Structures are given as C-alpha cells and as structure tokens.
Amino acid sequence: MSDDTLDESVGDPAIDEQLTMGIDPWERNWMKLTIALLVGFFAAVTVAGFAAGFQLPGAEDRVDPRTVATEGPWADPGVTDLGNGKFEAYVLAQVWSFSPREITLPVGAEIDIYITSSDLQHGLKVTDTNVNIMVVPGQVSKVSYTFDEVGEFPYICHEYCGSGHAAMFGTVNVVSEADYAALAEGGGDAETESTAEEGDE
Ligand code: CUA
C-alpha cells in the first residue's frame, strides 16, 4: 500500500487503524529504516564479496605446526609456476621472518598463496592489494590475487608477534613478461638471479 492511500485516510480513525495495522507511525518509520539498513548492508556485503574482491580468509586445511617446517610443502617454501599465468606459493611465517622473503612474478600472474605459521600467530598484508590474512599455527590460510601492475609490493606481518615483529617483511616483485623470462632463463640458483637483476639496471 502506498503512502498516498494512507494520506487520504487521515481523519478516519477506523480506516487509519486498518491500514496501519495499529502500528504507531514512529514505529513504522523505524521499521522502514531497519529494513533499509538491512538491504544496504546486504548490498554492501554482496558488492564487497563479488565486485570488490574481498575474501574472507578461511581455514583451507590443518597442519601440525610442530612438523610443518620440516615435512610437506612448507619444508621447502617458495613459488611454483603452474603455467598459463597461474602460480602458487607456499609461505611459512615464523619468528621473525617469512619464507620466502621475495616472490617474483610476471605481470598478470594469478597466484594462490598458502600460508601457515610454525610457532605463533602472525599476519600477512601485501601493500596495495586486498591480500590481508591472519596466519595461525596449525591452520593453512589461502588467499588469491592477480598482480596486474609491474612494481614492488612489500608484505608485512600485521599481527604483533614479539620483539622482531617489525623485521618481519618481504617483497612481491612484479616484473614484465620479458624480465621474468630472462630471470627464469638465468637458472634457478640465487647467485645467477641476482647477477641477472644487476644486469637489468
Ligand atoms: Cu609476525 Cu608480527
């Protein structure tokens, strides 16, 4: 029923009572406001989740924090090129460092990051991205991101974890396809890679 109908009925208490189900106008307005807020929040959550790419960090898997650094994929943390621009990284957080400390990707790379902690609670925040996740011992947190721009994206621990907390950081280096190919050709060992990087500058 429209407000017009209500306005026309003003003055006839019987009809007024019928149309409004005996609800006080103030209460009716509060109900309208409540419904509007619910619709607004629902829209905001929907937009955040589907359009703005917000991700709720879920518990992807469980691991034993006592052995995670010595057994399984986090024993040798790092990035794997899965082909077709897809990558996955196993990152281990522990007092007070991330392994690996550097992640190098070609521009456009879609990466799934699986991160866990071998000691206490840490966090992972990659600057200028929506990668922002809690790192909990015993739990694997997964976060996905596509790096569309060349540049350096520092990552930090954003959960206070003791005296070395401020030293707990790393960098995602997003380079051009050509630079990435050159680095990949340079071979796997770190020495060759750093020489290639110097050559680029
Ligand atoms: Cu790890 Cu703060």
Side-chain angles (χ1 to χ4, degrees), residues 122 157 159-161 165 168:
H122 299 280
C157 175
E159 192 66 31
Y160 184 72
C161 56
H165 165 70
M168 209 170 151

Side-chain angles (χ1 to χ4, degrees), residues 41-98:
F41 285 135
F42 183 75
V45 168
T46 307
V47 168
F50 294 99
F54 277 55
Q55 302 176 69
L56 286 179
E60 182 72 12
D61 202 358
R62 301 275 171 197
V63 285
D64 186 342
R66 290 164 298 186
T67 56
V68 74
T70 51
E71 291 170 17
W74 289 275
D76 183 22
V79 187
T80 309
D81 187 341
L82 302 175
N84 294 325
K86 295 203 170 15
F87 291 77
E88 69 178 13
Y90 284 86
V91 180
L92 185 65
Q94 53 195 331
V95 285
W96 286 285
S97 64
F98 289 106

Side-chain angles (χ1 to χ4, degrees), residues 32-142:
K32 284 181 191 165
L33 181 66
T34 308
I35 291 166
L37 281 174
L38 284 174
V39 170
F41 285 135
F42 183 75
V45 168
T46 307
V47 168
F50 294 99
F54 277 55
Q55 302 176 69
L56 286 179
E60 182 72 12
D61 202 358
R62 301 275 171 197
V63 285
D64 186 342
R66 290 164 298 186
T67 56
V68 74
T70 51
E71 291 170 17
W74 289 275
D76 183 22
V79 187
T80 309
D81 187 341
L82 302 175
N84 294 325
K86 295 203 170 15
F87 291 77
E88 69 178 13
Y90 284 86
V91 180
L92 185 65
Q94 53 195 331
V95 285
W96 286 285
S97 64
F98 289 106
S99 307
R101 192 159 203 150
E102 256 186 59
I103 294 175
T104 303
L105 298 171
V107 67
E110 288 173 42
I111 189 166
D112 291 331
I113 299 170
Y114 299 89
I115 184 166
T116 190
S117 164
S118 62
D119 40 46
L120 39 87
Q121 191 158 310
H122 299 280
L124 175 72
K125 161 82 183 145
V126 183
T127 314
D128 295 332
T129 73
N130 65 354
V131 176
N132 183 343
I133 202 167
M134 298 297 304
V135 183
V136 181
Q139 177 180 305
V140 178
S141 302
K142 179 192 174 189

